[in-house]
Amino acid sequence: MNKDIRTEIFTRLRNENPEPKTELNYSSPFELLVAVALSAQATDVSVNKATDKLFPVANTPEAIYALGVDRLKGYIKTIGLFNTKAENVIKLCKQLIDNHNSEVPDNREALEALPGVGRKTANVVLNTAFRQPAMAVDTHIFRVSNRTKIAPGKNVLEVEKRLMRLVPKEFLLDAHHWLILHGRYTCVARKPKCGSCLIEDLCEYKDKTSD
């Protein structure tokens, strides 16, 4: 796949959705950080159901830390791995209070030093909250990148680095959202909806469907 085809792919995705957004509900960098930390191995829908109840009650590091682990679990118990996530979020809040003036840091090193925050979570926060070029490669983006051949790679980090290098610069800020939404609704895992895909003619997937 060459630069012209990649440019056309992202031009079409942008034309269809000029201002793509995350499907997680949030109103501050801290709310986004907590929501993304809770979303590992869980759907955005399930996270939103929990945070829609949690955030009106507690949406600052101090307020969530004051809840404590057990009360926080009560709000997030419908999310997978909620025990570990509750402990990590409480520890994360304490570190934000002690080390960052209760503010979410806007750099990768500081974000990844927080409990429960890995590279993918840091990338989401950097890109979505702080509008920095970053690529959070989840299962959807990994699948779309390999299936279409936009940026094939054997592992998540390889795909991330290739996307950062190969996505034309004018699209880099929003590419993460376009790819994730395309994988979530069109280029789905079991049977991609090639028949209704706006980049089908540019995609290099060999086993296209008629749906």
Side-chain angles (χ1 to χ4, degrees):
M1 183 174 287
N2 60 38
K3 185 180 178 182
D4 288 344
I5 292 175
R6 288 190 186 92
T7 299
E8 178 61 22
I9 284 172
F10 284 102
T11 298
R12 291 184 192 179
L13 293 172
R14 181 177 63 187
N15 288 345
E16 185 190 46
N17 187 2
E19 295 182 356
K21 299 281 190 290
T22 177
E23 294 186 322
L24 289 169
N25 296 338
Y26 75 99
S27 59
S28 69
F30 175 70
E31 286 189 1
L32 178 67
L33 175 61
V34 170
V36 178
L38 294 176
S39 71
Q41 296 180 45
T43 65
D44 287 0
V45 171
S46 69
V47 172
N48 288 339
K49 282 181 181 174
T51 57
D52 285 352
K53 293 175 182 173
L54 171 65
F55 289 156
V57 175
N59 70 341
T60 65
E62 290 85 356
I64 289 184
Y65 185 71
L67 285 178
V69 171
D70 288 338
R71 286 174 66 199
L72 178 57
K73 283 181 185 178
Y75 286 99
I76 68 168
K77 62 187 176 186
T78 54
I79 301 173
L81 309 175
F82 72 92
N83 286 312
T84 302
K85 290 175 181 177
E87 290 175 9
N88 280 335
V89 168
I90 293 297
K91 289 176 188 171
L92 176 155
C93 290
K94 184 78 166 70
Q95 283 201 21
L96 290 178
I97 294 164
D98 290 349
N99 302 334
H100 300 286
N101 254 0
S102 298
E103 297 290 328
V104 176
D106 62 357
N107 68 86
R108 178 187 304 286
E109 187 179 5
L111 282 168
E112 288 190 25
L114 297 170
V117 177
R119 186 178 182 88
K120 188 174 78 171
T121 297
N123 280 339
V124 173
V125 174
L126 291 171
N127 180 250
T128 304
F130 299 113
R131 300 302 285 154
Q132 296 179 21
M135 198 70 61
V137 179
D138 68 350
T139 54
H140 297 299
I141 294 180
F142 185 79
R143 179 175 66 254
V144 171
S145 298
N146 276 289
R147 198 180 259 171
T148 61
K149 300 294 191 283
I150 289 172
K154 292 173 186 169
N155 56 56
V156 167
L157 187 59
E158 197 173 302
V159 168
E160 178 192 328
K161 289 181 175 179
R162 282 194 174 170
L163 283 168
M164 292 299 293
R165 189 175 80 249
L166 294 172
V167 173
K169 281 193 170 58
E170 66 178 296
F171 304 107
L172 207 47
L173 265 183
D174 290 315
H176 160 250
H177 291 306
W178 285 317
L179 292 172
I180 208 169
L181 292 169
H182 192 67
R184 190 171 284 168
Y185 296 109
T186 303
C187 196
V188 294
R190 290 189 179 178
K191 192 178 181 186
K193 301 173 183 176
C194 301
S196 57
C197 174
L198 77 166
I199 61 168
E200 183 192 10
D201 57 315
L202 305 171
C203 167
E204 296 181 14
Y205 184 51
K206 291 184 174 64
D207 301 315
K208 288 183 178 143
T209 69
S210 56
D211 291 357

